[in-house]
Amino acid sequence: MPGATNLSVYAPSTSFLLLGFLGLEGVQTWLSIPFCFIYTLALLGNATLLWVIWTEPSLHQPMYLFLSILALTDMVMPTCILPKMLGIFWANAQEITFAACLVQMFMVHALSAVESGTLTAMAHDRYVAICDPLSYTTLLTPKTVVKFGAAIVIRAIMVILPIPLLLLRLRFCHSRNISHTYCEHMALVKLACGNTTPNNLYGLIVSLLITGGDLTFIFVSYGLILRTIFHLPSLESRHKALGTCGAHMGVIFIFYTPGLFSFLSHRFGHNIPHSVHIFLANIYLLVPSMLNPIVYGAKTKEIRVLLKLFPKK
């Protein structure tokens, strides 16, 4: 036909194919075993954490209420991606509709923003507890924690919602194959034709606003906390103050480190195999959800004591 081209354009009503780990198709069934193990531990660990906090009145304090939000997020986050991933690995169920893809992408990015916001709120909690302990009960009431939680969720929705909306204006060229295990913003943008500058620019703004902004607040909070701790009169009081921050600092490290590696490898690691990029992206979402309840269970004295008591009842 005159004027025909090889360009295939897919409307937003189409479906996509999630290809999983390209180049590792032969071992994807084996890869599903550790992913299932991680998912099971994440669900059991966070469900146990929620149960302990909500059944023990002594834990109805701001820090543990924030921890409940974190645990709930860590249960929903892997649930958004793992069932579909296992369908790809076990049944070659690669197809996903455009609408389902947008919903999954929104949930993944929004929940990441909620988790980051919760860790930031917990840093504020530790700052008030250590730097202004006399005002702690008046500044951080349960009502205030609920307002913090609502603000974190609203911020995540408002900031992430434009991402799928910006994708709705695009058409998709050449291929409908997504080289990933779940729908991720930049993976979809790479399939689009036309001007994707707004999508790229907004994605960068969101990264700077959420990750950059939250990390800056956390670093400033802990700078002030450490300054206060090192001015405490006795070594014992310093150790006690540091102990109250230990679990939170561990969770911050667990959450942001894989994300940083994934971000840097995606943008600068052009020689890194694509399967490694996908693996890092999955680790970023799954492993913190598994480790967070373990860290808090091991590092938080009140939770550790209660976990030892419950089996004896």
Side-chain angles (χ1 to χ4, degrees):
M1 181 183 295
T5 68
N6 292 327
L7 181 64
S8 298
V9 179
Y10 295 89
S13 59
T14 190
S15 60
F16 294 99
L17 295 178
L18 290 167
L19 301 183
F21 288 92
L22 280 178
L24 299 177
E25 291 84 357
V27 297
Q28 285 188 150
T29 303
W30 294 105
L31 285 174
S32 68
I33 297 173
F35 281 125
C36 280
F37 179 72
I38 291 171
Y39 181 55
T40 303
L41 283 184
L43 291 183
L44 289 176
N46 286 290
T48 302
L49 203 57
L50 281 170
W51 178 61
V52 169
I53 291 171
W54 287 105
T55 56
E56 179 53 47
S58 66
L59 297 183
H60 295 175
Q61 303 172 31
M63 185 178 95
Y64 300 107
L65 296 178
F66 284 129
L67 183 54
S68 297
I69 299 173
L70 189 69
L72 186 60
T73 305
D74 283 337
M75 292 179 71
V76 179
M77 175 86 79
T79 303
C80 288
I81 65 168
L82 201 84
K84 182 60 181 178
M85 187 194 307
L86 294 179
I88 297 168
F89 291 173
W90 292 345
N92 202 33
Q94 297 177 325
E95 189 167 7
I96 185 170
T97 65
F98 184 75
C101 193
L102 289 187
V103 170
Q104 186 187 55
M105 181 188 66
F106 172 78
M107 291 298 294
V108 166
H109 291 301
L111 288 168
S112 294
V114 168
E115 182 138 1
S116 181
T118 304
L119 292 174
T120 305
M122 293 170 81
H124 177 67
D125 171 90
R126 292 300 83 203
Y127 166 76
V128 176
I130 292 172
C131 299
D132 193 10
L134 297 179
S135 304
Y136 184 78
T137 55
T138 55
L139 290 177
L140 285 170
T141 63
K143 196 173 184 180
T144 305
V145 174
V146 171
K147 290 180 180 178
F148 264 113
I152 289 167
V153 173
I154 292 170
R155 181 191 74 155
I157 293 172
M158 292 182 65
V159 171
I160 301 301
L161 188 58
I163 291 178
L165 294 180
L166 283 171
L167 284 168
L168 285 173
R169 69 184 183 86
L170 299 175
R171 295 295 181 268
F172 298 89
C173 314
H174 302 299
S175 173
R176 61 192 185 106
N177 297 336
I178 301 175
S179 302
H180 216 301
T181 55
Y182 62 88
C183 289
E184 194 267 336
H185 177 228
M186 291 310 299
L188 272 175
V189 170
K190 288 177 180 178
L191 299 182
C193 49
N195 182 17
T196 60
T197 300
N199 303 75
N200 290 315
L201 184 59
Y202 190 75
L204 181 61
I205 290 171
V206 168
S207 295
L208 292 175
L209 181 65
I210 298 292
T211 306
D214 288 354
L215 271 176
T216 299
F217 185 91
I218 290 170
F219 283 142
V220 171
S221 297
Y222 269 98
L224 296 172
I225 288 170
L226 290 174
R227 186 181 68 177
T228 300
I229 287 174
F230 291 131
H231 281 86
L232 292 175
S234 69
L235 188 62
E236 183 181 353
S237 58
R238 293 176 193 173
H239 284 161
K240 185 177 179 181
L242 283 172
T244 64
C245 300
H248 184 241
M249 289 189 288
V251 167
I252 289 171
F253 179 80
I254 289 167
F255 178 71
Y256 286 107
T257 302
L260 181 62
F261 274 113
S262 181
F263 177 84
L264 292 175
S265 68
H266 184 75
R267 280 160 179 78
F268 305 109
H270 303 297
N271 296 323
I272 298 175
H274 189 67
S275 58
V276 174
H277 290 290
I278 301 172
F279 182 77
L280 287 173
N282 282 283
I283 289 296
Y284 167 59
L285 295 182
L286 294 173
V287 171
S289 297
M290 175 191 71
L291 293 180
N292 288 350
I294 296 173
V295 170
Y296 269 102
K299 291 289 185 180
T300 307
K301 180 181 177 182
E302 294 85 350
I303 294 176
R304 189 170 64 246
V305 170
L306 287 168
L307 286 174
K308 289 179 180 177
L309 291 176
F310 276 126
K312 297 180 182 179
K313 291 184 178 182

